[in-house]
């Protein structure tokens, strides 16, 4: 019936548009998801880089939610600072305006259905008949999503144009622009897509159902309403998620509130300064302008904002001994793997520190030491350090068990197995040293000089090998020959020192039993060997992940 709003056609248009956006996101995630994650990880060491990367990735993926999820994963894993993640969020808000530019440029200038059908036809055929070839299959999904996006736009545009022919909204003008602002917030919060709402507004503006001022008010509402997705997701979430959601809401709410009261001035800028006469292009320009002003307004204060946010939601910071994996969401296994690798790097450094402390700082205070030194000396601190390492091992294993439940690739499963083995090797190596703390003290207190010589030789061996270990960790390339050389050297030096002990005991007596000293030598070299195998495993896993 003429003049009656065909809401089924309109809702079908929204559904097709959102489904098309979803297919585009899914295909791009499969085609280049790892590349985008690597870009986000590598190029966000500065806030301004975060803004650029957030803009580019969101403009391509057209999903600020996915970008925010990646940011949360990196933030939770300590792979990106809160300040730089705020930069990515600012950039993501600007990147979401790209869809509006594409729609305004092509969607209302040509026959949308004629434009969409070739993409739909080729996309469906490619998806169906190239199912065994993942790359071509995802290309088909991309083309299908692109076609659905514009077909949905066509349905929305036609439904609104038919309705606009006989409907006059001037009766609502006395409510002011507040009505359109609230409508923009409410509708966007309901459909959880600011891009879809902006397309609806563009269709209404094209049909002259609303004016540019009303359209601007709804777009500002859309920018505020889209933050509710992250806000709702942050309820019951970690401190990082709540901080990022609060910042994102603050960015859009404050900027939107200021721009709402300056709508007439912003429109005047677009008309007189930039001489934009097309209302559709004017609207998408103003949408980008608002998000650009938001970046310029908040960028100088990101450091101060980071400090303020870190004081919020402290009670929601996850407890535990781990540093990187305890706050990482498992929704993106590839990012979780990066955090796990960084956790293992931390475990390695702490293991080497513990080995050094046990072999050099086990000594009891000398007889002429101060009373305070004797009172405060606590060898149990070494055992506490080892227990902390054990606690982290338990937490990492629990993280690994949860990660194994996700849909991992064959490469990720292999890397996870290597990292798990690395964890066991490092803790076993630390345990070998922990178990000889009392024996080291016994050797230190021995009166026979050659026992002290054996102990000093052991300390020298550990110092030399730890230097070799650290140098190898710092190397950019793995070298299997180095791995084999160190293995052989460990075996050779172990045999040499053990032989030296036996030869000394043929002519000398010691107040420390031969079995105790032999056991200390064996466990020191066994511990070093375990740690070395852990280092080699970490290096291999890193190189495999790069490949």
């Amino acid at each position: 019936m003429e003049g009656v709003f065909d809401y089924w056609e309109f809702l079908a248009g929204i559904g097709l548009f959102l489904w098309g956006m979803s297919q585009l996101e899914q295909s791009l995630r499969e085609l280049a998801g790892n590349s985008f994650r690597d870009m986000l990880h590598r190029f966000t060491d500065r806030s301004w880089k975060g803004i650029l990367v957030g803009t580019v990735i969101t403009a391509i993926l057209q999903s600020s939610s996915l970008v925010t999820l990646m940011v949360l994963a990196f933030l939770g894993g300590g792979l990106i600072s809160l300040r730089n993640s705020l930069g990515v969020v600012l950039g993501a808000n600007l990147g979401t305006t790209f869809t509006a530019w594409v729609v305004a440029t092509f969607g209302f200038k040509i026959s949308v259905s004629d434009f969409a059908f070739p993409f739909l036809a080729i996309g469906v055929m490619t998806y169906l008949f190239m199912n065994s070839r993942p790359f071509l299959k995802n290309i088909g999904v991309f083309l299908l999503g692109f076609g659905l996006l514009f077909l949905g736009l066509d349905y929305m545009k036609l439904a609104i144009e038919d309705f606009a022919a006989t409907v006059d909204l001037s009766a609502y003008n006395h409510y002011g622009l507040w009505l359109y602002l609230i409508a923009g917030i409410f509708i966007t919060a309901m459909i959880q897509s600011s891009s879809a709402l902006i397309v609806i507004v563009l269709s209404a503006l094209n049909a002259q159902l609303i004016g540019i001022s009303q359209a601007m008010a709804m777009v500002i509402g859309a920018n505020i309403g889209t933050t509710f997705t992250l806000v709702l997701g942050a309820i019951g979430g970690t401190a990082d998620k709540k901080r990022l959601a609060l910042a994102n809401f603050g960015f859009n709410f404050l900027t939107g509130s200021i721009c709402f009261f300056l709508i007439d001035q912003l429109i005047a800028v677009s008309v007189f300064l930039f001489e934009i006469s097309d209302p559709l292009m004017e609207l998408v320009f103003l949408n980008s302008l608002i998000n650009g002003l938001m970046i310029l307004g908040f960028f100088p204060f990101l450091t101060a904002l980071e400090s303020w946010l870190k004081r919020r939601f402290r009670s929601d910071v996850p407890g535990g001994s781990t540093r990187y994996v305890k706050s990482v969401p498992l929704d993106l296994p590839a990012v979780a793997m990066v955090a796990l690798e960084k956790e293992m790097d931390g475990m390695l450094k702490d293991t080497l520190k513990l080995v050094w402390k046990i072999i050099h700082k086990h000594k009891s205070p000398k007889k002429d030491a101060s009373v305070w030194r004797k009172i405060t000396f606590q060898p149990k601190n070494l055992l506490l350090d080892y227990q902390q390492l054990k606690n982290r091992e338990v937490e990492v294993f629990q993280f690994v068990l949860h990660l194994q439940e996700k849909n991992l690739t064959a490469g990720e499963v292999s890397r996870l197995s290597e990292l798990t083995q690395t964890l066991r090797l490092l803790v076993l190596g630390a345990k070998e040293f922990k178990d000889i703390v009392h024996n080291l003290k016994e050797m230190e207190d021995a009166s026979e000089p050659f026992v002290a010589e054996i102990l000093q030789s052991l300390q020298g061996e550990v110092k030399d090998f730890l230097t070799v270990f650290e140098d190898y960790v710092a190397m950019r390339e793995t070298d299997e020959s180095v791995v084999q050389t160190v293995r052989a050297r460990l075996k050779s030096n172990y045999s040499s020192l053990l032989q030296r002990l036996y030869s000394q005991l043929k002519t000398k007596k010691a107040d420390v039993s031969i079995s105790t000293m032999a056991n200390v030598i064996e466990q020191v070299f066994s511990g070093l060997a375990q740690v070395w195998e852990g280092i080699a495993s970490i290096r291999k896993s890193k190189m495999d992940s790069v490949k």
Side-chain angles (χ1 to χ4, degrees), residues 4 11 33 89 93 125 264 281 293 375 378 396 410 419 444:
V4 176
L11 292 175
V89 170
N93 285 319
M125 294 299 177
D264 292 336
M281 301 306 294
L293 291 173
I375 293 174
Q378 295 181 353
V396 171
L419 290 171
E444 180 69 28

mmCIF file of all heavy atoms in Angstrom, residues 4 11 33 89 93 125 264 281 293 375 378 396 410 419 444:
data_model
loop_
_atom_site.group_PDB
_atom_site.id
_atom_site.type_symbol
_atom_site.label_atom_id
_atom_site.label_comp_id
_atom_site.label_asym_id
_atom_site.label_seq_id
_atom_site.Cartn_x
_atom_site.Cartn_y
_atom_site.Cartn_z
ATOM 1 N N VAL A 4 2.564 3.335 3.100
ATOM 2 C CA VAL A 4 2.698 2.500 4.272
ATOM 3 C C VAL A 4 4.121 1.938 4.305
ATOM 4 O O VAL A 4 4.613 1.415 3.299
ATOM 5 C CB VAL A 4 1.674 1.346 4.253
ATOM 6 C CG1 VAL A 4 1.902 0.429 5.457
ATOM 7 C CG2 VAL A 4 0.254 1.907 4.273
ATOM 8 N N LEU A 11 13.530 -4.294 7.361
ATOM 9 C CA LEU A 11 14.247 -5.185 8.274
ATOM 10 C C LEU A 11 15.083 -6.200 7.519
ATOM 11 O O LEU A 11 16.185 -6.574 7.952
ATOM 12 C CB LEU A 11 13.259 -5.893 9.204
ATOM 13 C CG LEU A 11 12.547 -5.006 10.233
ATOM 14 C CD1 LEU A 11 11.520 -5.808 11.010
ATOM 15 C CD2 LEU A 11 13.561 -4.374 11.183
ATOM 16 N N GLY A 33 44.086 -12.353 8.859
ATOM 17 C CA GLY A 33 43.980 -12.131 10.301
ATOM 18 C C GLY A 33 45.329 -12.084 10.994
ATOM 19 O O GLY A 33 45.600 -11.205 11.813
ATOM 20 N N VAL A 89 42.174 2.441 19.860
ATOM 21 C CA VAL A 89 40.724 2.627 19.963
ATOM 22 C C VAL A 89 40.293 3.923 19.284
ATOM 23 O O VAL A 89 39.278 3.967 18.575
ATOM 24 C CB VAL A 89 40.284 2.609 21.442
ATOM 25 C CG1 VAL A 89 38.836 3.047 21.587
ATOM 26 C CG2 VAL A 89 40.460 1.212 22.022
ATOM 27 N N ASN A 93 37.765 4.135 15.885
ATOM 28 C CA ASN A 93 36.561 4.960 15.716
ATOM 29 C C ASN A 93 36.574 5.707 14.393
ATOM 30 O O ASN A 93 35.541 5.849 13.733
ATOM 31 C CB ASN A 93 36.445 5.961 16.876
ATOM 32 C CG ASN A 93 35.996 5.307 18.170
ATOM 33 O OD1 ASN A 93 35.123 4.448 18.168
ATOM 34 N ND2 ASN A 93 36.596 5.690 19.283
ATOM 35 N N MET A 125 29.270 -19.021 -6.174
ATOM 36 C CA MET A 125 29.870 -20.092 -6.974
ATOM 37 C C MET A 125 31.268 -20.443 -6.464
ATOM 38 O O MET A 125 31.620 -21.621 -6.360
ATOM 39 C CB MET A 125 29.937 -19.663 -8.449
ATOM 40 C CG MET A 125 28.579 -19.500 -9.104
ATOM 41 S SD MET A 125 27.641 -21.069 -9.102
ATOM 42 C CE MET A 125 26.087 -20.509 -9.839
ATOM 43 N N ASP A 264 25.353 23.213 13.859
ATOM 44 C CA ASP A 264 25.218 24.256 12.830
ATOM 45 C C ASP A 264 26.587 24.769 12.384
ATOM 46 O O ASP A 264 26.814 25.011 11.189
ATOM 47 C CB ASP A 264 24.373 25.415 13.355
ATOM 48 C CG ASP A 264 22.917 25.016 13.567
ATOM 49 O OD1 ASP A 264 22.471 24.048 12.910
ATOM 50 O OD2 ASP A 264 22.237 25.664 14.395
ATOM 51 N N MET A 281 27.594 13.276 0.896
ATOM 52 C CA MET A 281 29.026 13.434 1.122
ATOM 53 C C MET A 281 29.285 14.363 2.313
ATOM 54 O O MET A 281 30.268 14.201 3.043
ATOM 55 C CB MET A 281 29.700 13.984 -0.133
ATOM 56 C CG MET A 281 29.531 13.108 -1.364
ATOM 57 S SD MET A 281 30.078 11.395 -1.087
ATOM 58 C CE MET A 281 31.840 11.639 -0.852
ATOM 59 N N LEU A 293 38.363 15.089 15.107
ATOM 60 C CA LEU A 293 38.452 16.038 16.218
ATOM 61 C C LEU A 293 38.614 15.311 17.550
ATOM 62 O O LEU A 293 39.308 15.799 18.455
ATOM 63 C CB LEU A 293 37.202 16.925 16.250
ATOM 64 C CG LEU A 293 37.048 17.926 15.097
ATOM 65 C CD1 LEU A 293 35.683 18.619 15.171
ATOM 66 C CD2 LEU A 293 38.178 18.956 15.124
ATOM 67 N N ILE A 375 71.181 -11.741 61.766
ATOM 68 C CA ILE A 375 69.765 -11.839 62.119
ATOM 69 C C ILE A 375 68.896 -11.902 60.866
ATOM 70 O O ILE A 375 67.944 -12.673 60.788
ATOM 71 C CB ILE A 375 69.352 -10.651 63.010
ATOM 72 C CG1 ILE A 375 70.062 -10.755 64.369
ATOM 73 C CG2 ILE A 375 67.835 -10.606 63.192
ATOM 74 C CD1 ILE A 375 69.813 -9.549 65.262
ATOM 75 N N GLN A 378 68.397 -15.139 55.647
ATOM 76 C CA GLN A 378 67.303 -16.118 55.540
ATOM 77 C C GLN A 378 67.477 -16.955 54.271
ATOM 78 O O GLN A 378 67.026 -16.569 53.202
ATOM 79 C CB GLN A 378 65.943 -15.415 55.503
ATOM 80 C CG GLN A 378 65.590 -14.686 56.779
ATOM 81 C CD GLN A 378 64.234 -14.033 56.693
ATOM 82 O OE1 GLN A 378 63.600 -14.007 55.658
ATOM 83 N NE2 GLN A 378 63.778 -13.476 57.795
ATOM 84 N N VAL A 396 50.376 -21.428 34.490
ATOM 85 C CA VAL A 396 50.596 -21.537 33.034
ATOM 86 C C VAL A 396 49.991 -22.823 32.509
ATOM 87 O O VAL A 396 49.378 -22.844 31.434
ATOM 88 C CB VAL A 396 52.101 -21.461 32.706
ATOM 89 C CG1 VAL A 396 52.339 -21.795 31.232
ATOM 90 C CG2 VAL A 396 52.641 -20.075 33.009
ATOM 91 N N ALA A 410 47.160 -26.615 13.339
ATOM 92 C CA ALA A 410 48.159 -27.657 13.587
ATOM 93 C C ALA A 410 49.462 -27.038 14.079
ATOM 94 O O ALA A 410 50.133 -27.580 14.969
ATOM 95 C CB ALA A 410 48.397 -28.462 12.310
ATOM 96 N N LEU A 419 56.108 -25.372 23.973
ATOM 97 C CA LEU A 419 56.176 -24.441 25.094
ATOM 98 C C LEU A 419 55.878 -25.142 26.420
ATOM 99 O O LEU A 419 56.462 -24.810 27.455
ATOM 100 C CB LEU A 419 55.194 -23.288 24.874
ATOM 101 C CG LEU A 419 55.569 -22.311 23.748
ATOM 102 C CD1 LEU A 419 54.418 -21.346 23.474
ATOM 103 C CD2 LEU A 419 56.821 -21.534 24.112
ATOM 104 N N GLU A 444 80.448 -25.097 51.758
ATOM 105 C CA GLU A 444 80.985 -23.777 52.119
ATOM 106 C C GLU A 444 81.585 -23.773 53.521
ATOM 107 O O GLU A 444 82.604 -23.112 53.775
ATOM 108 C CB GLU A 444 79.857 -22.740 52.027
ATOM 109 C CG GLU A 444 80.265 -21.322 52.362
ATOM 110 C CD GLU A 444 81.196 -20.704 51.321
ATOM 111 O OE1 GLU A 444 81.119 -21.102 50.145
ATOM 112 O OE2 GLU A 444 81.995 -19.844 51.703
#
